[in-house]
Amino acid sequence: MSNKPLNGIKIIDFTHVQAGPACTQMLAWFGADVIKVERPGAGDVTRSQLRDIPDVDALYFTMLNSNKRSLSLDTKKPEGKAILEKLIKESDVLVENFGPGALDRMGFSWERIQELNPKMILASVKGFSDGHHYEDLKVYENVAQCAGGAASTTGWWKGEQSGPMISAAALGDSNTGMHLAIGILTAYIGRQQTGKGQKVAVAMQDAVLNLCRVKMRDQLRLEKLGYLEEYPQYPHETFSDVVPRGGNAGGGGQPGWILKCKGWETDSNAYIYFTVQGHAWAPICDAIGKPEWKTDPLYMTPKARQPHIMDIFGTIEAWLKDKTKFEAVDILRKFDIPCAPVLSMKELLNDPSLRASGSIVDVPHKERGSYVTVGSPIKFSDLKPEITGSPLLGEHTDEVLAELGYNKDEIAAMHAANAV
Ligand code: COA
């Protein structure tokens, strides 16, 4: 642990569920001392949510809280508040994602935190930004996806399943946590210049919107042009005045679609994503056995192809009929065509490349034996994050209290008062 870049940064992790824990977990991987503060007896709600083994911390918790220490502390009790005050004086960062106003109600407003430690960086996740007309709302993942533009632009645009659609990716939770991590590190570097801490906040709505900026681009284009040429509605259907849902369309400068491969009738993931890069048209024609398309004016340019792009995808699908998704990608990669198989969670879990790179790791755990988790997606030349198990509730309470200067009798008194 000693030579990790964030070594020496002490973080009070007052987070729960996913958005905050994802942020502090990443900082812990890179060497920060992350002390998770949890309510005695209960802890983070995810410890007991969606359990797969009775009475053992759920994967929901273990996969978001590795490399941390756990301090159980009732911060509504005077003794608990006193401990938190001490901790604030000795830490660099406090991260929280409580509902609006909870930290103030607990007696730890930003003003109070600054009084205790002017160098403190207070990092918060909320559903909406300060002063927003929805600032009082509590927010979970899917609420944020709806508020940030993802739901209105994801999914099918016609038929029975044409309503707004939620993404399975945690655009509202973990994505907001990643934004917050960048904010914390920026404030930390800022502090090295000014000697002062500051408050860093990321609203889940804003973090989702930041990932949806290409859809806002499309709204602005739509208002100018009245149509969006890369959407499946073009040119045969009409556009309204809002960005439509585009199904599996490429969304950028090159058309793409999810295409069926051999076995799709029984395997729900027997598909590939196929991209028609403008300058890769000739190799595509060669790969799929349609060399005549290279010189056919109906196919030669992106503009000529667009009106019948879905028919072109249909022809490629016919070519894919006798190939599995892996066989298809193995052929297409030789022609430099951007594509990939649609991989299931099961396939990802067993992917040897992801194991070798540390993107999926096995981690020891005191009660589970071991568990699989997603490792660091960030790779460094001089740092290989070592993922350790998540802590049991209150596992490090006595250790942290001793570090704060409490003696054995005082620690015992805290336990007796149910403050820890
Ligand atoms: N000791 C004593 N009390 C504690 C405590 C501790 N260690 N830790 C938390 N609490 C109390 C808080 O003081 C607060 O009490 P109060 O409401 O009486 O003031 C309460 O526990 C926590 O409330 P809250 O965070 O609002 O929990 P919730 O379960 O009602 O709501 C969320 C959960 C996620 C909806 C809400 O926290 C939220 O909107 N967070 C911000 C957005 C966010 O991060 N959402 C994504 C989560 S993945």
Side-chain angles (χ1 to χ4, degrees):
M1 289 291 267
S2 57
N3 58 356
K4 295 199 172 149
L6 303 191
N7 201 48
I9 300 180
K10 194 164 177 174
I11 298 179
I12 303 170
D13 181 14
F14 226 165
T15 70
H16 64 160
V17 201
Q18 184 175 170
C23 165
T24 49
Q25 173 173 258
M26 184 164 274
L27 300 174
W29 288 340
F30 304 153
D33 177 14
V34 175
I35 301 168
K36 183 154 178 123
V37 179
E38 299 178 82
R39 211 191 310 238
D44 188 328
V45 68
T46 59
R47 284 188 185 269
S48 56
Q49 273 180 350
L50 313 176
R51 275 186 173 147
D52 57 324
I53 305 174
D55 304 324
V56 170
D57 287 335
L59 289 165
Y60 198 0
F61 179 84
T62 64
M63 292 178 79
L64 285 157
N65 291 285
S66 58
N67 295 57
K68 302 180 183 181
R69 298 198 281 169
S70 169
L71 164 68
S72 62
L73 194 63
D74 187 335
T75 54
K76 286 193 170 162
K77 288 209 158 96
E79 299 90 339
K81 282 190 205 295
I83 294 170
L84 186 59
E85 286 191 3
K86 255 182 185 271
L87 203 52
I88 288 174
K89 285 182 186 158
E90 299 201 0
S91 301
D92 302 289
V93 186
L94 187 157
V95 191
E96 64 91 22
N97 68 320
F98 293 128
L103 205 59
D104 291 358
R105 287 194 293 279
M106 211 185 272
F108 292 92
S109 64
W110 172 224
E111 291 68 30
R112 177 70 186 131
I113 290 171
Q114 280 173 297
E115 264 170 37
L116 292 167
N117 180 356
K119 292 180 83 176
M120 175 60 78
I121 292 160
L122 171 62
S124 297
V125 167
K126 295 286 167 274
F128 295 89
S129 56
D130 272 356
H132 191 286
H133 58 274
Y134 284 148
E135 71 174 346
D136 56 318
L137 286 181
K138 289 187 175 181
V139 169
Y140 282 108
E141 171 68 52
N142 293 348
V143 179
Q145 288 200 27
C146 290
S152 75
T153 51
T154 302
W156 230 244
W157 67 100
K158 58 183 175 186
E160 270 183 36
Q161 304 297 328
S162 65
M165 180 74 77
I166 296 302
S167 166
L171 306 175
D173 283 343
S174 281
N175 168 45
T176 306
M178 300 303 102
H179 278 80
L180 193 67
I182 296 168
I184 290 169
L185 295 175
T186 303
Y188 190 78
I189 292 169
R191 191 179 87 171
Q192 288 169 343
Q193 292 154 13
T194 63
K196 274 182 24 198
Q198 61 179 308
K199 188 173 181 321
V200 185
V202 183
M204 295 167 77
Q205 181 189 40
D206 294 347
V208 173
L209 177 59
N210 192 31
L211 295 199
C212 288
R213 65 175 56 224
V214 294
K215 294 297 174 181
M216 192 159 276
R217 169 203 72 190
D218 292 347
Q219 180 64 35
L220 297 169
R221 289 168 58 225
L222 182 67
E223 287 172 13
K224 270 242 156 63
L225 303 169
Y227 62 90
L228 296 164
E229 66 205 34
E230 76 282 20
Y231 278 64
Q233 293 82 358
Y234 179 85
H236 308 295
E237 297 174 30
T238 52
F239 285 84
S240 73
D241 61 350
V242 298
V243 174
R245 290 181 270 285
N248 293 318
Q254 40 279 322
W257 205 253
I258 288 188
L259 304 180
K260 291 172 185 147
C261 296
K262 186 178 163 187
W264 67 272
E265 299 90 339
T266 50
D267 175 355
S268 57
N269 293 302
Y271 293 79
I272 61 168
Y273 200 90
F274 191 100
T275 312
V276 182
Q277 241 186 337
H279 66 266
W281 182 241
I284 289 172
C285 299
D286 289 334
I288 63 166
K290 288 278 175 196
E292 65 275 18
W293 280 2
K294 285 193 270 188
T295 48
D296 185 334
L298 268 178
Y299 291 86
M300 277 166 63
T301 64
K303 206 176 164 101
R305 291 192 289 272
Q306 192 58 36
H308 58 118
I309 192 76
M310 296 315 274
D311 294 337
I312 293 175
F313 286 133
T315 304
I316 301 172
E317 229 168 34
W319 175 78
L320 288 165
K321 228 170 152 172
D322 59 351
K323 296 164 191 73
T324 68
K325 60 185 176 183
F326 298 112
E327 288 165 352
V329 169
D330 278 342
I331 296 170
L332 296 171
R333 72 200 299 187
K334 296 196 183 96
F335 292 86
D336 228 6
I337 295 165
C339 63
V342 171
L343 294 175
S344 67
M345 280 299 142
K346 187 173 178 181
E347 286 161 339
L348 290 165
L349 208 47
N350 295 303
D351 186 320
S353 294
L354 294 179
R355 295 286 175 146
S357 69
S359 296
I360 293 185
V361 290
D362 281 293
V363 179
H365 186 267
K366 288 202 170 62
E367 291 180 343
R368 294 188 151 264
S370 86
Y371 64 95
V372 180
T373 193
V374 180
S376 174
I378 305 176
K379 315 293 181 196
F380 302 87
S381 62
D382 285 339
L383 168 70
K384 192 166 180 355
E386 179 204 345
I387 315 294
T388 62
S390 61
L392 301 179
L393 176 59
E395 185 178 337
H396 305 94
T397 300
D398 291 2
E399 178 182 299
V400 173
L401 292 185
E403 284 169 12
L404 287 173
Y406 291 97
N407 64 33
K408 276 202 168 116
D409 293 340
E410 288 167 332
I411 295 173
M414 295 293 180
H415 281 286
N418 289 325
V420 296

